Amino acid sequence: MTSDVAAAKPGIPRNPDAETLDPFHGVDFSKLERSLHRPRTFMSMLWTVIVSAMTLFALIPLFSVLWLLVWRGGRKLSIAAFTQLPPAPLEQSGGFGNAIVGTLAICGMALLISLPIGLLSAIFLAQAKPDNRLASSVRFAGKVLTGFPSILAGVFAYGVVVMATGGYSALAGAVALSILMLPTILLTSEDAIRMVPERMKEAAIGMGATDTQTVWMVLLPAAVPRILTGVMLAIARGAGETAPLLFTALFSSYWLLWHGHVKLMQPTASLAVLIYNFAGMPFANQVELAWAAALVLVVMVLIANLIGQSLANRQVQ
Amino acid sequence: MPTAEIASQEPVSTNGKVDPSVVMDCNIENLYYGSFKAVRDTRIPVQKNAITAFIGPSGCGKSTVLRCMNRMNDLVRGFRLEGHVQFRGQDIYGPKIDPVAVRRFIGMVFQQPNPFATSVYNNVAFGLRLNNFKGNKAAKVEEALKSADLWDEVKDKLNESGLSLSGGQQQRLCIARAIATEPEVLLLDEPCSALDPVATRSIEELMKQLKARFAIAIVTHNLQQAQRVSDKTGFLYVDTSEGSRTGYLVEFGDSNQIFHDPKQKETQQYIKGEFS
Amino acid sequence: MPTETQISKPPSRTQAITDTAFRALCQGFTWLVAVIAVIIVLKIVLAALPAVRQYGLGFLSGQVWDPNKKLYSILPEIWGTLYSSVLALIFGTAFGVAAALFLAEGFTADAVFALLKIVNLQFHPFWGKLPVQVENLLSNLIELLAAIPSVVYGLWGLFVIIPLVRPACHWLHADLGWIPLFGTDLSGPGMLPAVIVLSIMILPTITAIGRGALLAVPTRLRMAAYGLGATRWEAIFAVTLPTASRGIFGGIVLAFGRALGETMALAMLVGNANVISVSLFSPANTLAALLANAFPEASPKDVGVLMYAATVLLVITLLVNVAGAYIVQFTASELEGEKV
Ligand SMILES: Nc1ncnc2c1ncn2[C@@H]1O[C@H](COP(=O)(O)OP(=O)(O)OP(=O)(O)O)[C@@H](O)[C@H]1O
Ligand SMILES: [Mg+2]
């Protein structure tokens, strides 16, 4: 046996006429080799390099932002930052404790408004037949509202709450944020409910469950992790919004809880507005506090995001 | 077992009175999905303490007829029924009837096992909760699991997810879920099609035990299975003469007679084709 | 088989009533959402009506904003809004689509796989999972860009981007000042820093939607191109991108809507000057930034004018968003139809 290709493979008899039957006879095999001298191959490589470089380049700002937050914001972070009130100009030290409380309170109120509305209408949308006009219009409105400029939510809350009640308040801020949170909650909850396998729904109905029983006993329990993911995303978005709070909740240098009263109808501080106000001030102390507040805000937002993500991932497994 | 045999073409006794052993009388004149006529002229009685099997080629409307019997088809848009389906002498398609109530008395087990994503226990207790059952739930769950021949396998993992069971166990779990509420009729749509021969046998045994308590209707593709378990058999076939594919009942009668002495030509051919 | 204690029973009265009530409740809340959507638009437009009557269309074409003289017009803001958004869209699209391709076409996973192959660990039970994990990590990082609040970007732009680009801007203006784009010098805030930050902010939208559109392209189409001897990039340009183009385009339109309405980064970086200029280094203003700056101090009279400006912004963003949402929805259903 000679050691040619055919003989190397057991079971394939050696063909004496291999020379004449060889389909590659006369082909220059160097042409099949990979070579960067060939324009097509070279262009392909070039594009790969360009796209990879651009993607990595797009991530530089992220790392820059995170690094600066840790470096500049971390320096100023202390117990005082969490427990003290914002300093007056030229005053040293101080903190943003009231702004953290304010952000949490405004977001919480916004959630109280948007969650019931979003969830109940999501249930309706998920159960509606494809040709239901109300459902498809509301779904479309939700998609359009996802891109609704946050400043306009502020303008709306200004018109509806501030002008009606005669003053800036946490409530006005919450109304503005709830409009931004609503579409996220609505659309993710609808998706979550729709993702529950049709078979489970069929099983419940086949046993004589009413629609309401099907929703509460089968659909919602299975959809809860995904719904919570949407809620966490909505909270993260709401907490980070500044523009709609600028002229609804405004700002305050006092605690939300003042002499035993919760001042929901008074101007209220929030981290986002504090960052905006202090960033533009010509005082080093305020600018440093703005960085520290930004670090706290980003950490809060990221935690909300991570909780949402991990809930979503758990669902997948 | 009812002793007085009913003539194959006359499921309801001649003098117009309802035969007391017939729990359900399904009489479909025409059944449409939108403009598509899916089934016509099909009359099948379902008897107490007996297993009624539906056989026929794929797409002839077996599932449709079965789903028609507990109004699952109401979920399909464009579904329309001409005819009536009587349950203990009452038309379940009557104007005042609540389909939800119908389904509580006529349980259904689907082709694919479809346990809920909760524990085994909660799966079986689901129907009890639906019906606001006030008594001893744990005892009922145990009883249902025992009847479904699943108790020994799951008694140590009642709190594990129903989805963690094997396919055959899941299907028996679904049966346990359906029988826990003690419906009058049990509809099974190809319950063994996703199962291996051993699991299939155990479900067949189960059905034979359950017929002491329920009226059972089963759709199956497996003629041997129909012959093994059923007391009555209906053969459905597709009529393509009007240009569309409309299913209809060719022959109904004792399983023995259908499988060994079919009267109609189509039945003969179908049985022969399947067995030879 | 009548049992003494019948379990199956028709839905009780309470169950029936609860069911009807709950369904009505859900439907009612859905109507509420519809009503809210309409009210949001109506509220803003109606509040603007007095100012619309008073200032008419001249409001849109004049260039003066002087509350003392009661002279208001917003052409510079409209220009600034559109100019900054278009510029940001150019950068955002280039980088966003590149990132979408990088993440959707398996380059990341391939690169990691190739690296693993060098050390012969590509099928290792632990390291073998790395390619997929790195790809997920990268797309999560890109999504993280969207999670950072815009005010933080503004802060970052003020203290990082402006000092960073200023020398380059000086040089460009001094040496290439005859090009209109470099016609003025950068003195602190201006169009360029605002556009840079804005591009970063809209990039995740384009990448996320673009990646989804690319992943939705059926593999068999790609295989067809490879089977004909196309290189990877020939397949991308000839098959994948054209098939996904409509979805990517929808993402770009939605990103455009985001850019038009983005407020804080612009309010902090664009300079808030009532100027119309093509120069990248000139300060400018946008509608959203105008609202953010003027609203907190607005007298009741000014509010009407600001509502007029808000209405203009509303109309522009609504048009763009409706178009974007329509394109994305339409494309999704089309591709789903194709899969069947
Ligand atoms: N939801 C539906 N909408 C419209 N047509 C349907 C629907 N379900 C079934 N059909 C049609 O009705 C006819 C009967 O279907 P059915 O599922 O009852 O058949 P089958 O006998 O159960 O078939 P198989 O043995 O394959 O399960 C088929 O032509 C099918 O296309
Ligand atoms: Mg079927």
Side-chain angles (χ1 to χ4, degrees), chain B residues 58-59 61-64 67 111 189-190 219 221:
Chain B
S58 184
K62 304 179 296 294
S63 302
T64 299
R67 291 166 64 91
Q111 181 165 357
D189 190 355
E190 296 180 41
V219 167
H221 265 144

Side-chain angles (χ1 to χ4, degrees), chain B residues 18-79:
Chain B
V18 182
D19 182 317
S21 73
V22 173
V23 183
M24 288 198 81
D25 177 24
C26 177
N27 185 357
I28 299 171
E29 279 156 27
N30 290 304
L31 187 153
Y32 300 87
Y33 286 126
S35 57
F36 168 62
K37 193 201 265 192
V39 179
R40 67 169 170 82
D41 303 318
T42 296
R43 181 159 199 189
I44 296 178
V46 176
Q47 285 178 350
K48 200 192 272 185
N49 305 108
I51 297 179
T52 309
F54 300 5
I55 57 170
S58 184
C60 67
K62 304 179 296 294
S63 302
T64 299
V65 171
L66 198 73
R67 291 166 64 91
C68 190
M69 289 164 69
N70 76 340
R71 295 194 64 169
M72 280 308 276
N73 274 334
D74 286 30
L75 303 181
V76 179
R77 240 161 5 117
F79 164 77

